[in-house]
Amino acid sequence: MTTTSMKDVAKAAGVSVGTVSNVLNRPEAVAEETRARVQAAIADLGYVRNDSARQLRAGRSRTVAIVVLDVANPFFTDVVRGAEPLVESAGGVVTVCDSGEDVRRERRHLELLEEQRVLGLLITPVDDSSASWIERLSGHEIPVVLVDRGAGRHPHCSVAVDDVHGGRLAAQHLVERGHRKIAFIGGPGSIPQVADRLGGCREVCEESGVELEVYATPGLNFQAGREAIEQMLGSEDRPTAVFCANDLVALGALQGLTMHGVKVPQECAIVGYDDIDFAAAAAVPLSSVRQPRAQLGRTAAQLLFDEIAEGGDHTHRNVVFQPELVARASTALEL
């Protein structure tokens, strides 16, 4: 099958190849009569522009990459859904990469994204060791926005939630219900969100004279919550409430308690974090600290396109949202 080229269109319309290019890319620069003649030739010949070749010549694709910690976590699904409409409206496409909370896997993704010269990158880094690779992409004029993570000292835009405040909200909620021994389940502690949520919880416990027991986990998933509950139930003086670093961990903890006949919230209350849709739909609806998931993605995408449009005049912005606690049946009982 013969492919119609831009040269074929130019010949049919009686214009130069440069004029055809202008009609496709800068139509306002071409006289109306000439533009109409070129567009008629495009329609008659069935010409389809080769965007891949054009992007390669420009040294940049239309792909916006989003690198997340766990693609199975609905929190990140909602973040991507928030970003995608804005990317698509700008003529781009989103590709999602799953680091699996693994620094080496994240690095492989970043290497490939660098080679592909993506338009931009939205990323929730595994930990601070990712900084050098993120800087490397920035050095190749690939703008980066950190998602669900503050920029700190790094020269990037970022969107985040005040996780220390979120941890305080969860702990305060449990303290107000009379709990005097609280467990925190989540990890690894190298993930800044986990450290901040634990830090906020610890502050409230220390201020209130409440005992805090920490169960560090290797990941932030359902299985981690179940395994931590197995460990917790083995202790004689077990906590009467659990604050989990995210809702997947909390759902695992809920199942673990239920399997062992521990009534929620009568014998053990649970608070999760993120307020994914499954939290409200659980057998015992979970209290959770809500993050504006879609808004995080949408704001990150807007910051990215602002940086692309403004170029050297761009000033990095760090947007911080405030979380809120949503109380449900898993903490309804007051002691």
Side-chain angles (χ1 to χ4, degrees):
M1 180 177 177
T2 303
T3 302
T4 302
S5 69
M6 194 181 293
K7 185 181 292 186
D8 295 327
V9 173
K11 183 177 179 180
V15 298
S16 69
V17 172
T19 299
V20 176
S21 177
N22 281 338
V23 170
L24 292 171
N25 299 298
R26 296 190 305 128
E28 71 283 353
V30 182
E32 185 176 349
E33 182 183 347
T34 304
R35 187 166 67 241
R37 198 162 69 248
V38 171
Q39 289 169 340
I42 287 172
D44 290 343
L45 296 173
Y47 171 72
V48 177
R49 67 191 296 169
N50 187 340
D51 264 1
S52 296
R54 185 174 59 84
Q55 290 163 17
L56 286 171
R57 285 195 298 271
R60 181 75 79 242
S61 77
R62 288 188 179 183
T63 300
V64 172
I66 305 182
V67 181
V68 302
L69 293 179
D70 180 6
V71 75
N73 186 340
F75 167 79
F76 290 110
T77 303
D78 291 341
V79 169
V80 172
R81 285 176 177 165
E84 200 162 27
L86 197 149
V87 174
E88 290 178 348
S89 69
V93 63
V94 167
T95 184
V96 180
C97 303
D98 181 13
S99 70
E101 300 173 14
D102 183 333
V103 172
R104 290 172 298 179
R105 184 171 173 179
E106 177 187 72
R107 191 163 297 167
R108 286 197 299 272
H109 284 312
L110 294 180
E111 286 176 352
L112 289 172
L113 295 173
E114 180 187 26
E115 290 173 6
Q116 293 169 8
R117 300 284 289 167
V118 292
L119 181 64
L121 172 68
L122 309 182
I123 182 171
T124 303
V126 174
D127 57 33
D128 290 338
S129 68
S130 310
S132 60
W133 268 94
I134 293 172
E135 295 306 323
R136 178 168 169 167
L137 266 68
S138 294
H140 288 142
E141 298 183 349
I142 297 174
V144 177
V145 177
L146 305 181
V147 182
D148 196 29
R149 183 72 55 83
R153 297 187 302 274
H154 305 298
H156 302 292
C157 287
S158 68
V159 290
V161 171
D162 186 344
D163 284 320
V164 174
H165 181 57
R168 289 187 62 90
L169 287 176
Q172 191 63 49
H173 179 66
L174 294 171
V175 169
E176 288 172 354
R177 275 153 178 72
H179 295 283
R180 307 306 299 168
K181 185 171 184 178
I182 297 172
F184 175 86
I185 299 177
S190 58
I191 296 177
Q193 296 95 316
V194 174
D196 286 348
R197 293 166 196 179
L198 172 57
C201 177
R202 194 187 301 279
E203 287 176 5
V204 170
C205 289
E206 290 176 351
E207 292 164 5
S208 308
V210 169
E211 185 178 352
L212 176 64
E213 203 164 89
V214 178
Y215 292 86
T217 62
L220 293 169
N221 51 48
F222 188 87
Q223 187 62 29
R226 282 186 55 177
E227 291 175 356
I229 287 298
E230 295 286 340
Q231 185 182 352
M232 188 186 87
L233 292 179
S235 104
E236 293 184 7
D237 181 25
R238 71 188 188 211
T240 61
V242 174
F243 169 38
C244 297
N246 76 4
D247 285 340
L248 292 184
V249 174
L251 289 168
L254 174 61
Q255 187 185 73
L257 291 169
T258 302
M259 288 175 62
H260 285 276
V262 178
K263 295 178 181 179
V264 177
Q266 293 90 337
E267 296 175 90
C268 187
I270 303 179
V271 178
Y273 205 105
D274 292 338
D275 196 32
I276 61 175
D277 291 341
F278 293 133
V284 179
L286 281 173
S287 296
S288 186
V289 178
R290 175 178 292 167
Q291 300 199 74
R293 306 178 302 278
Q295 193 174 3
L296 282 169
R298 185 166 56 251
T299 304
Q302 185 60 64
L303 291 174
L304 182 72
F305 283 108
D306 286 348
E307 183 169 351
I308 292 169
E310 294 164 8
D313 296 327
H314 177 72
T315 300
H316 292 304
R317 294 172 54 208
N318 307 117
V319 180
V320 180
F321 294 100
Q322 292 302 312
E324 59 179 312
L325 186 123
V326 180
R328 298 192 180 97
S330 68
T331 58
L333 190 69
E334 294 188 10
L335 300 182

